[in-house]
């Protein structure tokens, strides 16, 4: 299927590693131009160089920015729009990593931890949408995909659930406002995804629970219908489709890309 993304101008936040980097790679494979955004300029530059070397003719713009700082976000948006005379796609993927072993109990959960989570993921996504959506609306077309997570549908992490439910609520509100201007907005809920962070997470949980790493992996796999973790590339495939004009009829809603959420029915 031709996703009609050749030449599209895409911004991917949290793009220096993990899901963001996999999504950027998927967009480039469809012929899109990608502005890679992250806070760490050195890591961002290395990621951009890797993308350019991995795909001949790939057009990658590395833009260091901190999504918790509105002035930094505005400067990022101005740089992208100036370079490419507009923007078509925004993928919000910049977020604090989840707790490595287990979330803290209520007595140990600080205001600061929740506020940092919320500021980075929810307000960060809002800032980027606020800076870039007007350019999409003026041209009458655009796509925004917000990366959230299955904690929106699970208990166990107060901060994780709050931030992910809030991203879904933000998505629905943006979809209603921007839809008449041709801009679709969706939220994607990955589960635990196999990325470069996974080995450390597995090791931490094994140490905390007195288990082997193989036992921890088996426990994690057992929570999915596929009985395995999905890969970053598998999530990216779905996100890239949602970024495309082919997904025009999908907006305001959530798409789970987690290999199945066993024991739950969502309708």
């Amino acid at each position: 299927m031709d996703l009609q993304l050749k030449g599209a101008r895409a911004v991917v936040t949290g793009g220096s590693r993990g899901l963001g980097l996999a999504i950027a790679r998927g967009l480039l494979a469809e012929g899109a131009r990608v502005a890679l955004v992250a806070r760490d300029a050195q890591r961002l530059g290395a990621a951009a160089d890797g993308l350019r070397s991995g795909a001949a003719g790939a057009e990658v713009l590395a833009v260091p920015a901190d999504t918790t700082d509105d002035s930094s976000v505005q400067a990022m948006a101005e740089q992208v729009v100036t370079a490419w005379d507009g923007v078509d796609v925004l993928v919000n993927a910049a977020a604090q990593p989840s707790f490595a072993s287990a979330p803290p109990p209520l007595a140990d959960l600080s205001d600061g931890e929740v506020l940092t989570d919320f500021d980075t993921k929810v307000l960060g996504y809002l800032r980027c949408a606020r800076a870039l959506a007007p350019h999409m609306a003026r041209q009458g077309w655009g796509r925004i995909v917000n990366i959230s997570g299955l904690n929106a549908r699970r208990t166990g992490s107060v901060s994780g659930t709050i931030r992910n439910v809030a991203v879904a609520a933000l998505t629905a509100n943006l979809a209603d406002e921007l839809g008449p201007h041709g801009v679709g907005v969706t939220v994607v809920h990955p589960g635990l995804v196999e990325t470069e962070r996974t080995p450390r997470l597995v090791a931490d949980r094994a140490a905390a629970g007195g288990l082997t790493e193989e036992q921890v992996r088996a426990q994690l796999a057992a929570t999915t219908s596929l009985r395995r973790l999905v890969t970053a590339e598998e999530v990216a495939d779905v996100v890239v489709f949602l970024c495309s004009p082919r997904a025009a009829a999908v907006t305001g809603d959530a798409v789970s890309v987690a290999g199945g959420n066993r024991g739950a029915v969502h309708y």
Side-chain angles (χ1 to χ4, degrees), residues 2-262:
D2 178 7
L3 295 185
Q4 302 173 3
L5 282 168
K6 188 173 179 58
R9 301 156 296 183
V11 173
V12 181
T13 72
S16 63
R17 59 184 174 181
L19 272 181
L21 184 56
I23 291 164
R25 190 176 292 113
L27 286 165
L28 288 170
E30 294 297 324
R33 294 171 277 179
V34 174
L36 213 59
V37 178
R39 287 182 293 187
D40 188 321
Q42 185 173 357
R43 180 179 290 149
L44 181 66
D49 288 342
L51 290 174
R52 294 186 190 104
S53 63
E59 191 169 346
V60 182
L61 187 64
V63 188
D66 182 353
T67 61
T68 67
D69 180 349
D70 191 55
S71 62
S72 181
V73 170
Q74 292 292 336
M76 173 273 291
E78 182 177 353
Q79 183 175 342
V80 173
V81 170
T82 299
W84 290 336
D85 195 29
V87 65
D88 305 299
V89 172
L90 166 64
V91 179
N92 276 314
Q96 292 283 107
S98 300
F99 294 101
S101 54
L106 177 61
D108 298 330
L109 182 63
S110 70
D111 291 359
E113 287 172 314
V114 178
L115 288 170
T116 297
D117 255 357
F118 196 87
D119 189 25
T120 304
K121 193 162 192 175
V122 184
L123 292 180
Y125 287 12
L126 173 62
R127 294 179 187 108
C128 291
R130 187 169 58 206
L132 293 169
H135 300 283
M136 301 180 193
R138 277 195 289 272
Q139 69 191 13
W141 185 84
R143 299 292 295 177
I144 299 173
V145 180
N146 296 320
I147 307 301
S148 185
L150 273 192
N151 277 340
R153 299 175 176 177
R154 293 174 176 168
T155 59
S157 170
V158 172
S159 185
T161 301
I162 287 172
R163 70 178 186 173
N164 288 343
V165 169
V167 169
L170 171 66
T171 297
N173 278 277
L174 293 179
D176 284 354
E177 178 176 346
L178 298 173
H181 304 284
V183 181
V185 191
T186 53
V187 57
V188 169
H189 292 320
L192 180 60
V193 179
E194 192 75 54
T195 69
E196 70 274 5
R197 287 190 174 121
T198 307
R200 174 65 183 275
L201 181 144
V202 169
D204 287 348
R205 291 193 180 186
L211 302 170
T212 67
E213 293 187 12
E214 290 73 19
Q215 287 172 318
V216 171
R217 281 191 171 274
Q219 289 178 349
L220 296 173
T223 65
T224 75
S225 300
L226 294 178
R227 308 300 198 275
R228 67 170 177 84
L229 301 184
V230 299
T231 67
E233 289 71 26
E234 288 169 331
V235 177
D237 286 342
V238 177
V239 173
V240 170
F241 168 73
L242 292 172
C243 290
S244 77
R246 294 287 194 181
V250 184
T251 192
D253 217 336
V255 178
S256 173
V257 191
N261 189 15
R262 285 188 68 196

